[in-house]
Amino acid sequence: RGSPPPRNPANQLTQRQLTNLRAPRRREARSAHVTSAIKASDHAEIKHSVSDAHVQDQEQYAEMYARSLEDPNGFWRDLAMQDFHWETPIPEQHHSYNFDVRKGPVFTEWFKGGKTNIAYNCLDRHVGDGHGAQPCFLFEGNDVGVDGAMSYQQVLEEVCRVANFLRSVGVKKGDSVAIYMPMVCELPIAMLACARIGAVHSVVFGGFSSDALASRIEDCKARVLLTCNAVKRGPKVINLKQIADRGCEVAVEQGFNVEHVLVYANDSAESREDTHMVPGRDAFWQDVIPQQASTAEVEWMDSEDTLFYLYTSGSTGKPKGVVHSTGGFMTYAATTFKYVFAAQPGDVYWCTADCGWITGHSYMTYGPLLNRATQVVFEGVPTYPDAGRCWQIVDKYQVKQFYTAPTAIRSLMRSGAEWVTKYDRSSLRVLGSVGEPINPEAWRWYHEVVGDGRCPIVDTWWQTETGGHMITPLPGAWSEKPGSASLPFFGVKPVLVDEKGQELEGEAEGYLCISQSWPSNIRTVYRDHERYETTYFAPFPGTYFTGDGARRDSDGYYWITGRVDDVINVSGHRIGTAEVESALVAHPQCAEAAVVGYEHPVKGQGIWAYVTLMEGVDSSDSLRKELVMSVRSQIGAFAAPDVIHWAPGLPKTRSGKIMRRVLRKIASFEEDQLGDTSTLADPGVVASLLELRGK
Ligand code: PRX
């Protein structure tokens, strides 16, 4: 039969992937305005004192951190056993992993052999301890005045009813369930119901289009879909059910049939009578769920059984189904939540993220409930009906920890401080930031205006793949520097490497990798373990490669400089340039497209699309709109290009590779820094692109 092909094509891929990586850059490059702020901030340090924080100073941190790296097996077992119910206790030896592609298949195991259930730990445990009456969710609707609350007992009962419904339609342990819902309490309830019975949830952000929904449903083979008829986002009504129906049709065209659709009727957005239902397939939540029993048996899961899939964008190809498993994710999400937000049971916490993204999984649904927080669930947008909405909600519910993305901070900052100061914010203790680098100007506004200079800012760096916070301040434990995520969390060992994979010591700037396994690292890419290895472990063998660049300063603080691959981050939403390009070329009149990110004052990055039209087709405003529409319908409105730049040709090397560096410089109006263009097949292309761009 001959010898088998080498199992791991790591070395060739390393080379190919590395040539696609951008050199990590200093953040100073972003704009002149940001430059001065960052330079000044390297020295500016702000120290807070937080009396009830779990780590009081850097000494205590250093001791715990050292143990977490030297004895990960014991450190995490102690935390997991002390904080959670395990139906079968975790064995003494439970952890093993391999991050080195040269040594065989990459794998990770934590708490292997221990059996637990995350939904049980989020709900039953607290109810059993006598906290059933504590508010679990405080619901704030899109429109002012639409609100409600659910206690831990009520949430537990509703989760059991949904769990029973899922079982009644044949869902079993290991089956996939797709969830396409807006931010109503029923979304985390649906996730918890899946977890209770061992079904694997795959939440699809409500802003994705029907095509994007269909491809995710099809990839994970979800026979059951939970959705909502409609949602109000600011003044707009979005008819989710229509998009979901079309998504199911597209899935059928691709050969996959969704058999059951459960529809939560959101009466404040659309009446039930107006919702189109497919007989035999669709049922209203309000019709079938109340009939179910309010208790449901728990499925005890091995720690390494899969908890969820969450699709995320990469440099190439279609989105990857990131797989997270039960025990490691539970322990890490809960521990980071507790330490990073200095959380105490009963705290009122509010995260503005949507459950469609990882932040909504780790720090909406699971982390806070595992710590018995009371949390605000907000259906609307921060600027509706006005720019004071967030602070009005903080005041109304006396929110203690508030967690949002820099893009929201920048947009609220533009509306003026008076929208903030008219509300009482004295309940706030910790302010969090996530999703993209926070520029020092926004950091200071958040700190000084929102937090009155009293509250620590936790700038949390992490990713869908990491499951929880990786590099982040701990409130009050050490000084914060505006714009720096500061130091690694327990169990996280960051390393900076150069393009050859050589580790850089001390003050340095390079590719950010993690060299040891932590409990919630990505276990695999669903149905594509090879892609998992080549994406994350082949580029710098022996480590997990994050896709980000970073700088370490003389105090050991990390400054994330942003993605070094072809992923862009628009308003904290992660978008693969290849996905946008393929949506553009799907238009019959588009011959070729190349997409890059450029600095955007509110969104962080905007999407700049270079488009070459088919021979004989003239550019026009209506064609521009059609191209944008093509992206909206294939991905979603949040991925719509900000700029369509007509390109008679694209800058390519003689071997046909697009020189994205040149495109990025043109989009940033930095044509004076184009660098070496002598390898371009047709150097005249640059001049024509500049001419079409204008000044
Ligand atoms: O580039 C980093 C950026 O967001 C990427 C991960 O995106 P996603 O998987 O969608 O998860 C977002 C929520 C965790 C990272 O590779 N990023 C996230 N947080 C920060 C950040 N960049 C700088 N500072 C952060 N605090």
Side-chain angles (χ1 to χ4, degrees):
R1 281 190 295 167
S3 58
R7 206 199 57 78
N8 206 319
N11 291 334
Q12 301 127 37
L13 277 153
T14 305
Q15 228 18 66
R16 209 195 66 212
Q17 286 189 331
L18 283 177
T19 51
N20 283 337
L21 293 183
R22 246 182 288 171
R25 64 204 165 119
R26 290 179 75 90
R27 275 254 291 292
E28 281 86 329
R30 291 180 70 144
S31 76
H33 183 58
V34 175
T35 308
S36 58
I38 287 201
K39 279 196 178 138
S41 72
D42 258 28
H43 308 288
E45 295 188 12
I46 295 165
K47 181 84 169 73
H48 294 272
S49 157
V50 180
S51 58
D52 54 358
H54 305 286
V55 171
Q56 278 299 320
D57 52 37
Q58 214 163 341
E59 219 166 81
Q60 189 189 348
Y61 160 77
E63 209 174 285
M64 291 177 74
Y65 181 66
R67 182 175 172 230
S68 74
L69 294 189
E70 282 154 21
D71 176 23
N73 188 78
F75 179 88
W76 288 107
R77 185 178 183 279
D78 288 353
L79 282 174
M81 288 297 286
Q82 149 204 315
D83 288 344
F84 305 113
H85 171 80
W86 293 82
E87 187 69 2
T88 306
I90 305 165
E92 290 289 333
Q93 275 304 321
H94 58 82
H95 168 50
S96 60
Y97 76 103
N98 171 39
F99 270 14
D100 194 335
V101 285
R102 295 163 303 193
K103 295 186 179 154
V106 174
F107 76 96
T108 303
E109 285 175 0
W110 284 93
F111 315 125
K112 179 89 179 152
K115 281 190 190 290
T116 187
N117 183 288
I118 194 169
Y120 180 93
N121 277 298
C122 284
L123 301 170
D124 307 56
R125 191 167 53 100
H126 306 314
V127 172
D129 287 347
H131 300 289
Q134 180 190 315
C136 178
F137 295 137
L138 302 170
F139 177 69
E140 179 75 11
N142 178 71
D143 294 330
V144 178
V146 176
D147 56 13
M150 288 180 89
S151 67
Y152 268 88
Q153 174 76 41
Q154 287 170 319
V155 172
L156 171 61
E157 289 176 7
E158 192 72 351
V159 164
C160 287
R161 290 188 196 100
V162 178
N164 288 330
F165 168 81
L166 291 172
R167 281 188 172 134
S168 77
V169 297
V171 177
K172 296 182 305 301
K173 179 181 172 185
D175 291 348
S176 308
V177 173
I179 304 177
Y180 182 66
M181 294 177 82
M183 281 306 290
V184 290
C185 301
E186 286 68 19
L187 170 48
I189 285 173
M191 294 163 74
L192 289 158
C194 292
R196 188 172 192 88
I197 65 169
V200 181
H201 55 71
S202 172
V203 184
V204 182
F205 170 56
F208 275 113
S209 67
S210 46
D211 285 7
L213 172 64
S215 74
R216 284 159 177 75
I217 288 177
E218 198 274 328
D219 193 78
C220 74
K221 307 275 181 271
R223 288 188 309 106
V224 179
L225 169 67
L226 277 63
T227 188
C228 189
N229 57 348
V231 59
K232 266 171 128 179
R233 303 267 304 155
K236 275 191 293 195
V237 173
I238 298 161
N239 196 307
L240 274 194
K241 179 65 167 51
Q242 275 174 16
I243 305 171
D245 281 348
R246 179 66 199 134
C248 292
E249 278 167 29
V250 175
V252 168
E253 286 157 20
Q254 293 168 0
F256 184 78
N257 194 20
V258 176
E259 290 162 25
H260 298 279
V261 179
L262 181 65
V263 185
Y264 179 75
N266 193 1
D267 291 325
S268 66
E270 181 191 83
S271 85
R272 281 212 240 176
E273 289 69 49
D274 296 333
T275 305
H276 173 252
M277 300 290 274
V278 176
R281 187 195 70 177
D282 300 357
F284 276 116
W285 181 299
Q286 285 89 337
D287 290 342
V288 295
I289 298 301
Q291 328 232 328
Q292 299 288 337
S294 61
T295 55
E297 219 175 287
V298 169
E299 183 79 43
W300 297 110
M301 308 284 283
D302 186 276
S303 176
E304 278 305 325
D305 285 338
T306 299
L307 175 62
F308 65 85
Y309 308 130
L310 186 58
Y311 287 82
T312 191
S313 297
S315 282
T316 52
K318 45 179 210 159
K320 299 184 281 280
V322 171
V323 175
H324 279 292
S325 60
T326 304
F329 178 84
M330 173 171 83
T331 306
Y332 198 77
T335 309
T336 45
F337 180 84
K338 174 173 167 180
Y339 283 87
V340 174
F341 294 109
Q344 303 291 340
D347 281 355
V348 180
Y349 160 88
W350 179 23
C351 166
T352 64
D354 190 290
C355 286
W357 307 107
I358 189 68
T359 308
H361 283 59
S362 308
Y363 302 112
M364 246 289 320
T365 306
Y366 293 114
L369 298 193
L370 289 164
N371 282 281
R372 191 161 52 80
T374 288
Q375 62 173 328
V376 177
V377 178
F378 178 43
E379 183 190 23
V381 291
T383 46
Y384 181 81
D386 58 46
R389 186 72 190 273
C390 287
W391 323 118
Q392 181 241 330
I393 295 173
V394 165
D395 188 1
K396 175 173 172 183
Y397 296 110
Q398 293 291 289
V399 172
K400 194 169 158 191
Q401 296 97 347
F402 177 72
Y403 194 29
T404 195
T407 186
I409 299 165
R410 285 190 294 264
S411 107
L412 295 173
M413 189 169 126
R414 293 189 142 200
S415 310
E418 59 279 13
W419 288 106
V420 185
T421 50
K422 71 192 256 201
Y423 297 101
D424 175 31
R425 286 151 288 109
S426 58
S427 60
L428 288 172
R429 290 286 178 277
V430 179
L431 297 172
S433 170
V434 59
E436 44 172 327
I438 179 166
N439 48 309
E441 199 187 356
W443 194 102
R444 291 210 178 83
W445 187 83
Y446 200 24
H447 182 255
E448 274 136 46
V449 179
V450 176
D452 284 328
R454 280 182 307 108
C455 305
I457 307 281
V458 287
D459 173 4
T460 59
W461 172 82
W462 59 296
Q463 312 178 294
T464 305
E465 294 88 342
T466 69
H469 301 146
M470 299 291 281
I471 301 183
T472 172
L474 295 185
W478 52 81
S479 300
E480 294 144 36
K481 298 186 192 184
S484 168
S486 78
L487 302 175
F489 193 73
F490 307 134
V492 174
K493 194 170 178 201
V495 287
L496 296 179
V497 300
D498 65 14
E499 59 286 351
K500 296 197 188 79
Q502 289 299 316
E503 189 173 337
L504 306 166
E505 303 287 342
E507 256 184 276
E509 182 157 359
Y511 299 107
L512 177 60
C513 300
I514 314 290
S515 70
Q516 260 181 236
S517 166
W518 63 101
S520 61
N521 64 245
I522 172 175
R523 295 303 195 258
T524 186
V525 168
Y526 186 50
R527 298 199 304 164
D528 202 345
H529 198 71
E530 187 172 333
R531 191 170 174 204
Y532 168 70
E533 294 187 336
T534 54
T535 306
Y536 302 109
F537 298 95
F540 301 107
T543 68
Y544 162 82
F545 173 47
T546 64
D548 280 316
R551 180 163 69 85
R552 189 169 45 221
D553 71 15
S554 53
D555 293 324
Y557 279 39
Y558 288 86
W559 300 73
I560 308 298
T561 51
R563 301 289 305 195
V564 291
D565 54 9
D566 291 324
V567 169
I568 48 187
N569 197 322
V570 179
S571 301
H573 297 152
R574 183 165 154 182
I575 297 169
T577 48
E579 285 171 72
V580 182
E581 287 161 6
S582 89
L584 289 167
V585 294
H587 189 284
Q589 289 171 325
C590 175
E592 200 171 15
V595 166
V596 295
Y598 69 100
E599 178 145 347
H600 188 284
V602 175
K603 299 197 226 178
Q605 283 189 296
I607 301 181
W608 190 295
Y610 294 87
V611 171
T612 306
L613 295 172
M614 292 289 192
E615 207 56 49
V617 176
D618 290 329
S619 60
S620 66
D621 250 7
S622 64
L623 189 49
R624 190 188 301 268
K625 285 190 189 121
E626 283 179 35
L627 287 163
V628 171
M629 208 46 222
S630 182
V631 179
R632 292 172 79 104
S633 75
Q634 283 181 59
I635 306 175
F638 66 92
D642 299 274
V643 177
I644 299 274
H645 186 148
W646 304 120
L650 292 169
K652 289 183 186 166
T653 59
R654 281 179 209 105
S655 61
K657 187 169 148 20
I658 295 175
M659 286 179 81
R660 287 170 184 280
R661 174 176 58 83
V662 170
L663 295 177
R664 276 187 215 109
K665 291 291 174 198
I666 296 174
S668 336
F669 290 75
E670 289 173 344
E671 51 269 29
D672 52 327
Q673 298 167 31
L674 281 181
D676 181 12
T677 51
S678 62
T679 53
L680 281 177
D682 173 9
V685 162
V686 173
S688 66
L689 286 178
L690 285 171
E691 198 183 317
L692 281 157
R693 185 203 66 189
K695 296 283 170 230

